[in-house]
Amino acid sequence: MEKAIKNFLSQESAGGILLMVAVLLAMLMANSPLSGIYQGFLDTEMQIRVGSLDIDKTLIHWINDGLMAIFFMLIGLEVKRELLEGALSSRAQASLPTFAAIGGMAFPAGVYLLFNYGDPITQAGWAIPAATDIAFALGIMALLGSRVPVALKVFLLALAIIDDLGVVVIIALFYSTDLSMVSLVVAAIAILGLIGLNQRGVTALGPYGVLGMILWIAVLKSGVHATLAGVIIAFCIPLRAKDGSSPSESLEHSLHPWSTFIILPIFAFANAGVNLGGMSLDALFSPVPVGIALGLLLGKPLGVLFFSYIAVKLKWAVLPEGMGWRHIAPVAVMCGIGFTMSMFISSLAFVGEGAAYGDFARLGILVGSLLSAVIGYFWLDKVLPKTAANNAK
């Protein structure tokens, strides 16, 4: 278990560095004479047409609806594995991170709405600070190396996975509009086909890929966000075959480097380019960026700690072995690293008449995530033993 987590975190730390490079490059291009090229690149029209089927979107929409569907499929594979065999497979293991994740989503949303309660347009961004970026959060923790106890890594991993599952539910319930019944029927048929493959014990990934593509197109056309198709596909792929092999884990291992080193950096580059040229000081401290930044920086850790404390006091959960609140607190701060997941929700929340708030939202995400990363890192560095030898195992 420890070796698997180390391998996972080694990828995440490298991926986290690549994400930061992508963000810096996007910010530099968006605030330089290259801003026109940057925006023009993202607005490039790309069309696929087969008979009456026509998918015509800009490049940034292909990234957010297409590439991120693959990322969400990876999330689905990770969630299924952890629920059936991993850190969430028993009540004792799942209790604390589940309560922590619920608090970590409710409190940031409350903080954001506190600043935006009077504006129905900006209220749509309530879920932006509720998300935790699993790649960045685990990447920051990985920088502390073997000094971090395995139990603490598992806690953060489980919390982030439950948080991701919560984001999937939020997207399905609150960010799906103008539903097409025909497309939903096609999607339902594709889902039944995927379930049928699973029930018949089909382990070859090809049939799942064909039905999965049909499902993605149907969901894309239905008004429900297309990334949800990735999660559904993941849950239908068998975790174990009769011979003991794992089609699900095999696909997860194949997708992980693509997600870490290609998909997420491309997403970050496409979505993090905030043009600061036209922003006044008042705009920087307006309700949207302030609500998001404080939601991530304060709401996240307060929610994680409060719900965790109540759960432990009521004996609904227990702290990881060898861990105390002084260890949980800095990890709760790290959960305020929203970044890619928060930016993804921002792209769904601020569209149409609310599109003007997109840059403000991304600015709040960058500030809140950066502060959470820095404070969480140095706080955890302070409370951990200086050598790995004294670690609680």
Side-chain angles (χ1 to χ4, degrees), residues 16-35:
I17 294 171
L18 196 56
L19 278 175
M20 286 186 274
V21 171
V23 171
L24 288 174
L25 184 59
M27 289 294 290
L28 286 173
M29 291 192 70
N31 293 276
S32 74
L34 297 174
S35 61

Side-chain angles (χ1 to χ4, degrees), residues 14 19 58 67 142 187 235 288 310 316 337-338 346 383:
L19 278 175
T58 60
L67 286 183
F235 271 76
V288 169
I310 294 298
W316 293 344
I337 306 172
S346 173
V383 302

Side-chain angles (χ1 to χ4, degrees), residues 116-156:
N116 292 273
Y117 66 91
D119 189 338
I121 296 178
T122 62
Q123 283 177 9
W126 64 271
I128 295 172
T132 294
D133 187 312
I134 187 171
F136 249 137
L138 291 171
I140 294 298
M141 179 179 278
L143 296 176
L144 294 168
S146 58
R147 293 170 54 205
V148 182
V150 174
L152 204 57
K153 297 173 184 176
V154 171
F155 171 72
L156 178 58

